[in-house]
Amino acid sequence: MEHHRERSDHRPQDLPQVLIIRPPPVFTLFEEKFISSKFQFLKAWESTLPLDQFLTNYAGSVRAVLCSGASLITLDIIRLLPSLQLVVTASAGINHIDLNECRRLGIVVTNAAAVYSDDGADAAVGLLIDVLRKISAADRFVRHGLWPAKGEYPLGSKLGGKRVGIVGLGGFGLAAAKRLEAFGCTVLYNSRKQKPFVPYPFYSNVYDLAADSDALIICCGLTAETRHMVNREVMLALGKQGIIINIARGAIINEKEMVECLVQGEIGGAGLDVFENEPNVPKELFELDNVVLSPHRVVFTPDGFMAACELVVGNLEAFFSDKPLLSSVMDE
Amino acid sequence: MANKETQQQFSSEELPIVLVNRLPSFKLPFQDHLLSHFHLLDPHDSPETYDSFLSRHSNSIRALITVGPTPVTAEFLNLLPRLELIVGTSAGLNHIDLSACRSRGIAVTHSSSAFSEDVADCAVGLLTDVLRRISAADRFVRDRMWPVKKEYPIGFKLGGKRVGIVGLGSIGSEVAKRISAFGCIIAYNSRKKKQSVPFPFYASVCDLAANSDVLILCCALTEETHHIVNKDVMVALGKQGVIINVGRGSLIDEKELVQSLVRGEIGGAGLDVFENEPNVPKELFELDNVVLSPHCAVMTPQSFEALLELIVTNLKAFFSSKPLLSAVSIE
């Protein structure tokens, strides 16, 4: 393990190791924030060995792994980590982790959704205002010199009074609801289960929610149940003036059907931060003025990243001190 | 909008007379609706010369609608000795000589309450866009750069930002309500401190700027507020500072603003209004930290419906000698 000792020779050799297969973006940006007296990192990506061989040779006693969306924790990887007890993801999403296998083996998972809720809600509402009031489209109009030539710009649509259906009323969804109320929107929601003490009308499925909404904001996680949950049927129920905002995961929407609906005018517009096959975006969307496109980072801010670092380190330190974890993902 | 009136009982000649004051390039919105309530006189629809039309009708004109930014000057008022009411259709009033109105005892109504929510929504939308780089990111993706460049700058958090609202009238109050929900900290400047308002008051825009991360301009354009945001204010706001303007272009010294933005001396701007619309300084087209809007913060069908209702209500109240709904108090 000489090449690893070179990099970590300033740390005591008996600190427990946290495996990183591929570094989360926040780790690459702020590595110094992850330094701890309670653990050290085992950096698989720095090795020239193929991954499975590296894990077999060096990760036998690893109890914790740090990952994020781009670093999948698959069944095969879990099988190569016989001592694994904890998966810490720096992301809000957990769909890149084989949760069934973790559950089966009693491996606990923590995520960082809590630190992104406010920023995610700001982004979702910002995208909704943009689509409804055509802010980015009007900006293009002005930048292309069309204002003196063409005169007035087409009307947008008022936010107040709009019925906004939130898909997934977790931290993001609740934060978005609070903001939407300040604009005079009526909030509705769909969730796996109805939430007690929440003042908004509950719809047990997305189709019914869409039928009663002017806009949908997707805030839920990607699971087998939610994959392609927003399909053509749901979009037709939402209607020709309907707007979809997605800051969650691209695959929650049937992207091919959404593009068709947008091109055919079956829905009114969309604000999208996530796509099924990032960084590829369906080219048809580039021609549309009623769509706002974002490269999967509208939720991120430096503050959010800092908070994610702290939460990740906090979870790891708690784990290695046998203290309760800060943000373990509960099965609902 | 449902016409709540019963069948009109009067012929057109018996409906109250209202003069339409408009620049030729501006059309009177809702003309059909208004025709069912009022006898509209429009000099541009007459083959007569403008002056001849006005002098022929001047004795019967007690009320006029001035469309959009069509000016009402003292000289114009001299041609209408019987005028008692001016109804404005825009949120602003800077195109009307208010002191000439005051000295002639002419009441003026404004329409800002019809627009306040929509303008506030737009102001917050522009702020979110600038801080989180939404339009810039949209350009990045549409230019097909995402697969190529991968890295793209992220934006800034809204929560905890100190937002200074310049002008806490109906629009400013709606902005404050929305911005609070994002966790921003609000302070304001106004002509006078408002007693029942919980936010800190700053008597000068410069002091407000020095204590703010963002300035949102929601006030009217008057002699006092012309170029109220000048170089000193921008320096006080600082290199990370953001300015949002949904008031009037001339609230800001636009030449200084452009220089400050180009030199990176302020952080960004979201602008719905400009000093010389529809002309926008071309330097702004090169900047990613600026969002440009073609003076459409008021532009929703819903605000236009509210505007029509306000205009009709004010005119009917006037002709029934009842109190006006949105009279401007001309101090």
Side-chain angles (χ1 to χ4, degrees):
Chain A
M1 286 183 75
E2 287 75 19
H3 56 295
H4 290 284
R5 291 285 180 253
E6 275 165 7
R7 289 196 176 271
S8 56
D9 59 4
H10 60 287
R11 298 196 185 103
Q13 292 182 4
D14 56 1
L15 276 187
Q17 291 180 315
V18 177
L19 171 69
I20 304 181
I21 295 171
R22 271 166 62 185
V26 76
F27 185 89
T28 306
L29 286 169
F30 304 117
E31 188 169 343
E32 69 281 3
K33 300 262 174 216
F34 288 83
I35 294 173
S36 169
S37 57
K38 299 228 163 37
F39 54 85
Q40 57 177 322
F41 289 107
L42 179 60
K43 299 174 180 177
W45 80 91
E46 290 182 344
S47 166
T48 49
L49 290 176
L51 180 62
D52 51 354
Q53 202 178 333
F54 178 89
L55 296 182
T56 307
N57 291 0
Y58 300 120
S61 55
V62 156
R63 295 167 57 208
V65 64
L66 169 60
C67 63
S68 72
S71 178
L72 273 58
I73 305 300
T74 61
L75 179 64
D76 292 332
I77 287 174
I78 294 173
R79 290 214 171 121
L80 292 170
L81 300 170
S83 310
L84 187 64
Q85 294 173 308
L86 172 67
V87 175
V88 174
T89 180
S91 61
I94 50 176
N95 52 293
H96 53 290
I97 301 167
D98 189 328
L99 298 172
N100 283 335
E101 188 66 3
C102 289
R103 202 177 301 123
R104 189 177 78 78
L105 295 173
I107 297 170
V108 181
V109 176
T110 69
N111 72 347
V115 309
Y116 293 119
S117 304
D118 282 336
D119 288 339
D122 293 347
V125 176
L127 285 172
L128 180 64
I129 302 175
D130 192 325
V131 177
L132 276 174
R133 298 298 298 276
K134 307 183 191 295
I135 295 181
S136 292
D139 178 88
R140 267 197 298 285
F141 176 81
V142 176
R143 278 173 198 260
H144 289 153
L146 294 174
W147 192 9
K150 277 196 165 178
E152 285 190 359
Y153 192 74
L155 299 182
S157 184
K158 190 182 179 72
L159 263 89
K162 289 278 186 298
R163 300 169 63 79
V164 181
I166 300 183
V167 181
L169 203 68
F172 286 94
L174 280 168
K178 180 173 124 189
R179 285 149 178 76
L180 290 166
E181 287 188 300
F183 288 82
C185 296
T186 300
V187 173
L188 323 164
Y189 77 103
N190 159 255
S191 217
R192 266 171 305 195
K193 285 189 307 228
Q194 186 164 7
K195 312 246 170 197
F197 315 124
V198 148
Y200 315 123
F202 169 75
Y203 291 74
S204 58
N205 67 80
V206 175
Y207 177 88
D208 287 343
L209 181 68
D212 227 13
S213 299
D214 302 307
L216 288 182
I217 302 190
I218 316 293
C219 300
C220 61
L222 176 62
T223 65
E225 290 79 36
T226 64
R227 175 172 291 274
H228 284 192
M229 180 169 70
V230 178
N231 55 20
R232 184 177 170 78
E233 217 186 17
V234 169
M235 289 185 260
L236 291 181
L238 186 62
K240 288 188 190 298
Q241 308 295 323
I243 310 282
I244 297 181
I245 304 296
N246 191 0
I247 54 155
R249 284 288 179 268
I252 295 169
I253 301 179
N254 183 321
E255 193 166 279
K256 189 157 155 299
E257 289 181 354
M258 176 183 60
V259 172
E260 280 169 13
C261 284
L262 282 164
V263 167
Q264 289 159 2
E266 300 288 2
I267 58 171
L272 308 168
D273 185 49
V274 285
F275 303 85
E276 287 210 58
N277 182 25
E278 298 169 17
N280 301 303
V281 172
K283 291 180 181 42
E284 296 90 324
L285 299 182
F286 298 156
E287 311 301 315
L288 299 175
D289 251 3
N290 58 346
V291 171
V292 179
L293 306 167
S294 172
H296 198 161
R297 61 207 69 185
V298 76
V299 172
F300 301 144
T301 64
D303 297 64
F305 277 169
M306 287 295 151
C309 294
E310 282 174 19
L311 185 57
V312 161
V313 170
N315 273 307
L316 288 169
E317 290 191 339
F319 174 72
F320 288 115
S321 316
D322 290 318
K323 293 210 173 85
L325 297 171
L326 302 179
S327 59
S328 61
V329 175
M330 304 293 236
D331 268 341
E332 282 170 21
Chain B
M1 179 177 138
N3 186 347
K4 299 189 179 97
E5 290 299 297
T6 52
Q7 283 281 89
Q8 57 192 46
Q9 293 142 329
F10 306 107
S11 67
S12 145
E13 276 66 48
E14 288 166 325
L15 291 176
I17 291 173
V18 178
L19 174 70
V20 177
N21 180 43
R22 65 180 179 94
L23 294 165
S25 54
F26 282 83
K27 277 171 42 182
L28 175 67
F30 334 111
Q31 184 160 300
D32 292 341
H33 285 282
L34 291 169
L35 281 170
S36 65
H37 297 286
F38 309 105
H39 179 193
L40 299 179
L41 294 178
D42 190 339
H44 294 294
D45 289 344
S46 159
E48 284 181 77
T49 66
Y50 191 89
D51 287 354
S52 154
F53 181 94
L54 272 191
S55 72
R56 186 157 67 78
H57 290 282
S58 63
N59 276 344
S60 50
I61 294 173
R62 294 173 58 215
L64 71 81
I65 298 177
T66 189
V67 177
T70 308
V72 176
T73 61
E75 293 72 35
F76 176 73
L77 292 176
N78 288 341
L79 300 174
L80 301 168
R82 305 288 287 269
L83 188 67
E84 297 168 53
L85 172 67
I86 297 171
V87 171
T89 68
S90 74
L93 293 167
N94 49 294
H95 50 290
I96 300 175
D97 186 336
L98 293 175
S99 70
C101 291
R102 185 185 342 119
S103 60
R104 289 162 177 73
I106 297 172
V108 179
T109 62
H110 66 75
S111 300
S112 56
S113 58
F115 303 120
S116 327
E117 290 177 353
D118 284 325
V119 176
D121 291 348
C122 186
V124 178
L126 287 171
L127 177 61
T128 319
D129 193 327
V130 174
L131 280 178
R132 301 298 278 278
R133 312 178 58 96
I134 294 179
S135 292
D138 179 84
R139 274 195 294 283
F140 174 77
V141 177
R142 278 173 198 262
D143 286 345
R144 289 139 160 97
M145 295 304 291
W146 190 7
V148 176
K149 258 196 163 180
K150 300 214 168 61
E151 288 314 310
Y152 190 74
I154 59 176
F156 295 99
K157 192 177 183 65
L158 268 87
K161 285 275 181 294
R162 300 166 303 164
V163 174
I165 301 179
V166 180
L168 205 66
S170 54
I171 294 173
S173 307
E174 294 291 342
V175 170
K177 185 167 111 187
R178 286 149 175 73
I179 280 290
S180 303
F182 287 78
C184 297
I185 300 161
I186 297 169
Y188 73 104
N189 161 260
S190 215
R191 266 171 308 197
K192 288 188 301 233
K193 186 170 148 102
K194 309 222 174 213
Q195 287 318 315
S196 53
V197 155
F199 314 124
F201 169 77
Y202 288 85
S204 87
V205 175
C206 215
D207 285 344
L208 180 66
N211 288 282
S212 298
D213 305 304
V214 174
L215 283 183
I216 304 187
L217 309 186
C218 305
C219 60
L221 177 64
T222 64
E223 276 175 18
E224 290 79 37
T225 62
H226 185 268
H227 283 196
I228 198 172
V229 175
N230 55 20
K231 188 166 173 67
D232 288 341
V233 169
M234 289 186 250
V235 167
L237 188 61
K239 281 190 190 301
Q240 306 294 325
V242 171
I243 298 179
I244 304 298
N245 190 2
V246 291
R248 283 286 178 270
S250 299
L251 291 171
I252 305 180
D253 182 339
E254 194 166 279
K255 197 154 146 295
E256 283 294 345
L257 174 68
V258 172
Q259 278 177 17
S260 296
L261 284 164
V262 167
R263 295 197 277 227
E265 283 159 16
I266 59 169
L271 308 168
D272 184 52
V273 284
F274 303 86
E275 290 215 75
N276 183 26
E277 296 169 18
N279 301 302
V280 173
K282 291 186 176 43
E283 297 91 321
L284 299 182
F285 297 165
E286 311 300 316
L287 300 176
D288 256 2
N289 57 344
V290 172
V291 180
L292 305 168
S293 173
H295 199 158
C296 56
V298 302
M299 302 288 191
T300 66
Q302 295 86 350
S303 69
F304 283 137
E305 282 178 21
L307 173 64
L308 172 61
E309 191 156 340
L310 197 54
I311 291 173
V312 170
T313 305
N314 274 312
L315 283 168
K316 286 184 154 199
F318 170 73
F319 288 115
S320 331
S321 307
K322 295 213 175 79
L324 299 170
L325 205 57
S326 61
V328 175
S329 62
I330 307 173
E331 292 146 31

